[in-house]
Amino acid sequence: MSQRRIVVTGLGQVSPAGNNVTDAWKSLMAGRACIRPITRFDASDLPCHIAGEVCHFDIEQYISAKEARRMDEFIHFGIAAALQAIDDAQLDAIPNLDKTKVGVNIGSGIGGLRLIEEIGIEVSKNGPKRVGPFFIPGSLINLIAGHITILKGYQGPSYGIVSACATGAHSIGDAARMIQYGTADIMVAGGAESAITKLGVAGFANMKALSTRNDDPQSASRPWNKGRDGFVMGEGAGVMVLEELAHAQQRGAKIYAELVGFGMSSDAHHITAPTAKGPALSINNALNDAKLNPDQVDYVNAHGTSTPLGDVNETEALKLVFGHHAKKLAVNSTKSMVGHLLGGAGGVEALYTVLAIHHQASPPTINLTDQDKEGGCDLDYVANTARDMPIQVGISNSFGFGGTNSTLIFQRI
């Protein structure tokens, strides 16, 4: 079966860096840290008091207050990012759009944790009669896609992938295959998360996964730097419109980049401890899908979480795949500025990779003042200052608990 080519024609995001694409990109290129003390709840009895919270976000710009009250914030973020991307792609302006060929795949790693936590407390205090009728649909991961299809009348595939912190990348890659094989002409795809709750922070903190640099939040996320002590939780959503190339060209759409490769793999090793071979296999699978040689890649938006083991592991994976060319790659971690958005991470980071190609510039990895070369982190991580550079091909890595890996490859067109 011949495969159809896929391009990116719309972008939308909500993140600690800003509530739209323009503001977020400006913040990232300025190297602005977005990690602050948690304001959503009293975190004083937790080991970690810091996170990348979304600020000044108003869901009523997108849906009514009545509808908004019936759903968790991760759905708010996903709806906002999706509607931004749809508007950016001008899908509403396409005459006689065949909505049976438009689908949505927006996933989440955890889903409605805040709502589940609140309802659990209410049930413990006052019994099950206090559970409202919108608790279940307000928490379900596939309900971002459900709401978007209802709002826009799209009748193509509607679902949400769940694969921990690889969710956003898996969603985009799987959505692309819907277009490649003719199931859809257009897919709205990405990831969303809002897990900065007491339960969520306690869960990750008790695993010793989070930074406890509470007295210096803006430098807490420090990928590949000596003294890194874990990741910082973030929240938000990143969504893009994928479209079949001829469909986009016929209507004169703005094209940001082409999605040329998608790879997946499993570590088959441990639920939380990674191996280098698993991510390397994911990257190799994506390169094979794209029919590209390793030395054709210019830029990597790394998973780059700022955990002691994870940063070394990803660096080793890049060396396994790219060999001597690994030292020529520009590798950055936008998590140094916005934190780790969990199921939303792959969505925003794929979007930032597309923007890096579109603008021919890499955002920096901030807080990289004492690079851990002795520990094996010896690549070019675009330390502290954004860089204008030619980027023909860029890749975005996302890895998740359970040993699941995903890689997306975008190319300038």
Side-chain angles (χ1 to χ4, degrees):
M1 182 181 292
S2 63
Q3 293 185 346
R4 306 195 300 171
R5 294 171 64 183
I6 296 128
V7 292
V8 180
T9 56
L11 301 173
Q13 74 94 61
V14 174
S15 78
N19 298 329
N20 59 65
V21 171
T22 300
D23 288 351
W25 185 247
K26 184 177 179 180
S27 178
L28 293 174
M29 293 301 287
R32 192 170 298 132
C34 305
I35 310 301
R36 301 177 182 86
I38 292 171
T39 63
R40 298 286 175 80
F41 59 91
D42 180 5
S44 60
D45 57 349
L46 296 173
C48 175
H49 308 164
I50 56 177
E53 293 180 333
V54 167
C55 300
H56 310 300
F57 175 72
D58 181 10
I59 186 57
E60 293 182 45
Q61 292 181 8
Y62 303 95
I63 58 175
S64 70
K66 180 180 178 181
E67 286 295 318
R69 284 193 296 272
R70 296 173 172 176
M71 58 187 81
D72 188 274
E73 276 186 321
F74 88 99
I75 299 179
H76 293 175
F77 295 154
I79 287 175
L83 293 180
Q84 287 176 26
I86 290 166
D87 183 63
D88 187 34
Q90 300 185 42
L91 298 188
D92 291 344
I94 300 176
N96 303 315
L97 175 66
D98 182 357
K99 294 187 176 183
T100 68
K101 302 289 279 186
V102 183
V104 185
N105 176 8
I106 302 173
S108 181
I110 301 175
L113 187 62
R114 187 187 312 281
L115 193 54
I116 293 169
E117 184 175 334
E118 290 173 355
I119 296 297
I121 293 170
E122 184 67 21
V123 168
S124 295
K125 288 181 177 177
N126 300 308
K129 289 186 178 179
R130 296 292 297 173
V131 179
F134 295 103
F135 167 53
I136 297 298
S139 309
L140 290 177
I141 285 172
N142 72 302
L143 261 290
I144 301 173
H147 282 290
I148 293 300
T149 58
I150 292 166
L151 285 167
K152 294 297 182 181
Y154 301 153
Q155 295 174 276
S158 171
Y159 60 122
I161 283 177
V162 180
S163 56
C165 302
T167 291
H170 275 138
S171 299
I172 291 168
D174 198 72
R177 290 184 171 171
M178 291 291 162
I179 299 173
Q180 281 179 327
Y181 289 93
T183 306
D185 292 329
I186 297 172
M187 289 293 294
V188 182
E193 201 79 86
S194 177
I196 304 173
T197 73
K198 197 148 197 169
L199 193 60
V201 175
F204 283 109
N206 290 348
M207 294 173 64
K208 310 294 185 188
L210 298 182
S211 171
T212 55
R213 199 178 293 271
N214 297 315
D215 57 347
D216 188 12
Q218 295 199 343
S219 67
S221 183
R222 43 180 52 211
W224 305 297
N225 201 71
K226 291 179 181 176
R228 62 192 181 279
D229 65 337
F231 74 82
V232 179
M233 287 178 68
E235 62 181 357
V239 176
M240 59 180 61
V241 171
L242 304 175
E243 187 168 352
E244 194 269 328
L245 173 62
H247 191 280
Q249 288 175 327
Q250 189 174 23
R251 70 182 183 91
K254 173 177 57 182
I255 296 175
Y256 286 97
E258 182 174 2
L259 175 53
V260 293
F262 173 44
M264 297 181 283
S265 73
S266 301
D267 288 353
H269 171 64
H270 191 275
I271 59 171
T272 57
T275 72
K277 289 183 179 178
L281 180 59
S282 177
I283 298 168
N284 269 324
N285 287 341
L287 287 168
N288 290 336
D289 187 41
K291 298 178 175 58
L292 291 172
N293 296 320
D295 62 4
Q296 292 178 273
V297 176
D298 307 298
Y299 165 78
V300 178
N301 187 301
H303 190 59
T305 57
S306 181
T307 59
L309 180 59
D311 288 359
V312 175
N313 191 71
E314 185 171 11
T315 297
E316 286 301 311
L318 292 172
K319 291 177 182 176
L320 283 173
V321 174
F322 291 98
H324 295 303
H325 186 67
K327 293 288 182 73
K328 298 180 181 178
L329 294 169
V331 182
N332 89 311
S333 172
T334 44
K335 288 187 180 77
S336 63
M337 292 172 275
V338 301
H340 189 350
L341 275 59
L342 309 179
V348 294
E349 290 165 16
L351 185 148
Y352 299 153
T353 304
V354 168
L355 287 173
I357 292 170
H358 181 69
H359 291 293
Q360 294 288 281
S362 168
T365 303
I366 66 167
N367 301 321
L368 188 48
T369 55
D370 191 9
Q371 188 172 330
D372 186 18
K373 292 182 180 179
E374 294 85 352
C377 301
D378 56 354
L379 301 182
D380 175 5
Y381 302 112
V382 195
N384 302 311
T385 304
R387 182 184 303 168
D388 292 330
M389 58 176 285
I391 305 175
Q392 186 67 27
V393 177
I395 76 173
S396 180
N397 281 332
S398 294
F399 314 135
F401 284 169
T404 183
N405 309 298
S406 182
T407 300
L408 298 165
I409 303 182
F410 298 94
Q411 185 166 352
R412 193 178 192 190
I413 189 169

